Amino acid sequence: MARCLVRGSINIDEFFHVRDIVRAGETTSSSGIETRAGGKGANQAVAVAKAGGHVDLVGAVGKDGLWVLRQLQEGLGVNVDEVAVADEQTGRAIIQLAESGENSIILYKGANYTALETPETLPSASHLLLQNEIPFSSTLAYLFLAYSEGIPTIFNPSPMPTPDELRTFPWAQVTWLLVNEGEAVDLLKALGEPNITPFAAPEAEGLPKTPSLLTSYSVIARLSKHSSFAQTVNIICTLGSAGVLALLPSLSQPIYVPAAKLQGCVRDTTGAGDCFAGYLVAELMKLPKDMVLDEETMTGILEICVQAAGICVERRGAMESIPTRIEVLERLR
Ligand code: ADP
Ligand code: NA
């Protein structure tokens, strides 16, 4: 049976609604306060579960985060048996939301940076999903373990590792790299390509010839051929309202899928990338082991992911705005 292991972060997010973001020396009052479960690891684990996949989350919270674990386990279908309860506060984000729509965030890593022992094997995992909100050494240890056991790995390097970490990263151990456009550019620059010149893309059939899309394609095409990168990595690059581009070494052409047509307006894009990640992994989990993806199958997977992420941006919040599989399939009919 397919099971995804997520080794990642768990946070308590505290939202304050302010007129303007508070400045040094100033006191401002908040017209509302909301406390929600968050963290990219937890968000993506919830997205896998809502997409219908079995998922185990590995991470750490403090005693103040036990309610988060209960919510993940009982309300959202994520197995949290392997989450440690540490002698630290749960990771915390203090988020000011201004009337203009701007935000400002203070992030305290807290228990997410507790040293956890890496297991010797991953007996129950069929897929490994990683982000970058935990100790980098732990991300590397899990990646290596999964790779050596032949388990497909999905890496969403967010927030971006340092240029040094990126240059020496074991890319060959990554099966799927999931980045947004800004991250793709940063990654290429970190690997030593400072000039992101537009229009330098190799010929690609089937891509709409809009300048921004060709630029994005050029970035991931150059990334895929970079000497510090591995030729075997499948690259998925999300493009916000422009949709998604995929470059698979097994396919001769890139795949482009436009963003979903929204039913209503964009309310909150927070968590859209996490929603996309979870749906991507849940779809990959349904494929037969070692299947070589054809263009049609990959396109179908990305269509589900953009629909899920589209619903996510129509709703406020991160974790709570991730749709269920049934809601996504409704849109595709
Ligand atoms: P991240 O949230 O990680 O920065 P993106 O902004 O690329 O990632 O968004 C991820 C996905 O969410 C996109 O590929 C797209 O499918 C969907 N999405 C994001 N913004 C919009 C939007 N304004 N309209 C429709 N879909 C969107
Ligand atoms: Na949202």
Side-chain angles (χ1 to χ4, degrees), residues 168-205:
T168 56
F169 198 83
W171 293 110
Q173 296 173 11
V174 175
T175 321
W176 296 87
L177 173 70
L178 176 63
V179 283
N180 66 24
E181 203 168 14
E183 289 160 353
V185 169
D186 288 349
L187 179 49
L188 192 58
K189 284 182 179 167
L191 296 183
E193 274 222 38
N195 301 316
I196 309 299
T197 44
F199 309 123
E203 259 319 294
E205 286 163 35

Side-chain angles (χ1 to χ4, degrees), residues 34-94:
E34 286 140 41
T35 304
R36 300 196 199 118
K40 289 188 85 65
N43 284 347
Q44 295 188 8
V46 167
V48 173
K50 284 196 172 177
H54 295 283
V55 56
D56 303 309
L57 179 59
V58 176
V61 295
K63 290 195 186 67
D64 58 337
L66 293 176
W67 66 269
V68 176
L69 298 189
R70 244 185 338 265
Q71 188 173 321
L72 288 170
Q73 179 86 49
E74 288 162 22
L76 298 162
V78 175
N79 175 36
V80 296
D81 289 350
E82 297 302 319
V83 174
V85 180
D87 242 357
E88 241 286 22
Q89 286 207 43
T90 303
R92 189 161 303 231
I94 304 290

Side-chain angles (χ1 to χ4, degrees), residues 181 184-185 188 196-197 214-224:
E181 203 168 14
V185 169
L188 192 58
I196 309 299
T197 44
L214 290 179
T215 303
S216 309
Y217 173 55
S218 151
V219 169
I220 58 170
R222 277 187 283 163
L223 179 60
S224 71

Side-chain angles (χ1 to χ4, degrees), residues 32 125 176 233 280:
W176 296 87
V233 184
L280 172 68

Side-chain angles (χ1 to χ4, degrees), residues 8-60:
S9 59
I10 305 163
N11 287 337
I12 296 173
D13 292 345
E14 287 186 334
F15 295 85
F16 295 87
H17 299 265
V18 295
R19 210 175 62 174
D20 301 298
I21 286 165
V22 69
R23 285 169 308 184
E26 194 184 44
T27 301
T28 198
S29 57
S30 175
S31 63
I33 177 166
E34 286 140 41
T35 304
R36 300 196 199 118
K40 289 188 85 65
N43 284 347
Q44 295 188 8
V46 167
V48 173
K50 284 196 172 177
H54 295 283
V55 56
D56 303 309
L57 179 59
V58 176

Side-chain angles (χ1 to χ4, degrees), residues 100-316:
S100 64
E102 286 175 304
N103 63 40
S104 99
I105 303 173
I106 302 172
L107 190 63
Y108 177 65
K109 291 170 173 170
N112 290 314
Y113 270 62
T114 308
L116 299 180
E117 228 170 279
T118 312
E120 266 159 34
T121 59
L122 301 175
S124 57
S126 66
H127 292 72
L128 174 71
L129 173 56
L130 297 165
Q131 312 78 29
N132 187 37
E133 287 187 337
I134 57 164
F136 194 61
S137 57
S138 190
T139 297
L140 289 176
Y142 272 81
L143 186 64
F144 177 75
L145 191 53
Y147 175 73
S148 52
E149 292 186 19
I151 295 170
T153 59
I154 303 92
F155 182 38
N156 173 218
S158 177
M160 261 285 140
T162 65
D164 270 345
E165 288 168 342
L166 291 170
R167 274 190 290 273
T168 56
F169 198 83
W171 293 110
Q173 296 173 11
V174 175
T175 321
W176 296 87
L177 173 70
L178 176 63
V179 283
N180 66 24
E181 203 168 14
E183 289 160 353
V185 169
D186 288 349
L187 179 49
L188 192 58
K189 284 182 179 167
L191 296 183
E193 274 222 38
N195 301 316
I196 309 299
T197 44
F199 309 123
E203 259 319 294
E205 286 163 35
L207 276 193
K209 301 226 167 349
T210 60
S212 66
L213 197 60
L214 290 179
T215 303
S216 309
Y217 173 55
S218 151
V219 169
I220 58 170
R222 277 187 283 163
L223 179 60
S224 71
K225 297 205 163 50
H226 199 283
S227 57
S228 303
F229 201 70
Q231 312 281 307
T232 48
V233 184
N234 297 295
I235 303 174
I236 308 280
C237 183
T238 61
L239 309 170
S241 61
V244 60
L245 262 176
L247 196 56
L248 276 54
S250 60
L251 300 178
S252 58
Q253 292 294 323
I255 296 177
Y256 171 68
V257 172
K261 254 208 188 67
L262 301 185
Q263 295 181 3
C265 57
V266 177
R267 231 168 247 110
D268 182 359
T269 58
T270 321
D274 292 337
C275 175
F276 193 106
Y279 266 83
L280 172 68
V281 176
E283 287 306 305
L284 295 175
M285 286 164 71
K286 290 198 277 172
L287 302 175
K289 196 172 160 14
D290 298 325
M291 172 180 171
V292 179
L293 275 166
D294 56 61
E295 188 180 327
E296 195 187 338
T297 308
M298 192 65 225
T299 304
I301 290 175
L302 294 176
E303 276 165 355
I304 289 179
C305 296
V306 297
Q307 283 299 335
I311 297 174
C312 190
V313 305
E314 291 171 7
R315 302 174 178 172
R316 258 182 246 294

